[in-house]
Amino acid sequence: MGASKVHTLIRYEGDAAIVDCLDSKLNEELTIQSWGEELTNSIENIGGYKRLVINFQNVKFMSSSALRVIITLNSRAKAKKIVLFLCAINPDIMEVFKITKLDSILKIRATESEAVHSKL
């Protein structure tokens, strides 16, 4: 196989590390596994940043496996005293967050700007 595909892009603003999800669908196990590893590496290498914002503006579909990755990521972030924010979630995916009650556990903001500037 050729070079592995990159699933995230990280950039920084203020006290936030912002991760853009590059895939439109997070539904294949290998994609989700690589995506999860990239997100975990973001937390491990975040340095002095106090918040990690994951921007889902490109994501149109997400499987339950991707939700499990987010739950695990939230636990890892808390252990490192990093606040995890999710933003720009597609309305159909947001419905799943509401049904599963993840919207009450996770910090979800409508826009990246809100996530970057929300109180910790």
Side-chain angles (χ1 to χ4, degrees), residues 28-39:
E28 294 177 7
E29 283 307 313
L30 287 175
T31 299
I32 293 167
Q33 186 178 347
S34 296
W35 175 72
E37 287 169 7
E38 289 177 28
L39 290 171

Side-chain angles (χ1 to χ4, degrees), residues 5-111:
K5 184 178 188 283
V6 175
H7 303 282
T8 61
L9 179 69
I10 192 162
R11 54 199 165 80
Y12 304 91
E13 181 181 329
D15 70 350
I18 303 162
V19 178
D20 292 311
C21 297
L22 303 177
D23 297 281
S24 63
K25 292 182 179 177
L26 292 170
N27 62 339
E28 294 177 7
E29 283 307 313
L30 287 175
T31 299
I32 293 167
Q33 186 178 347
S34 296
W35 175 72
E37 287 169 7
E38 289 177 28
L39 290 171
T40 300
N41 288 338
S42 303
I43 285 185
E44 297 305 319
N45 301 313
I46 200 169
Y49 292 91
K50 294 180 173 70
R51 74 178 74 215
L52 179 64
V53 176
I54 303 176
N55 187 321
F56 286 95
Q57 74 181 12
N58 297 320
V59 180
K60 306 298 179 227
F61 181 82
M62 184 185 300
S63 75
S64 59
S65 295
L67 294 178
R68 282 194 292 279
V69 167
I70 294 168
I71 293 165
T72 302
L73 198 66
N74 191 46
S75 298
R76 286 187 187 212
K78 280 183 180 173
K80 292 198 153 268
K81 303 208 178 340
I82 297 166
V83 181
L84 177 67
F85 286 90
L86 310 180
C87 70
I89 297 174
N90 175 293
D92 294 335
I93 296 172
M94 192 62 209
E95 201 54 41
V96 175
F97 279 87
K98 288 177 182 172
I99 291 167
T100 58
K101 305 256 188 278
L102 286 174
D103 64 325
S104 63
I105 297 168
L106 302 167
K107 294 185 183 312
I108 301 173
R109 301 294 183 267
T111 67

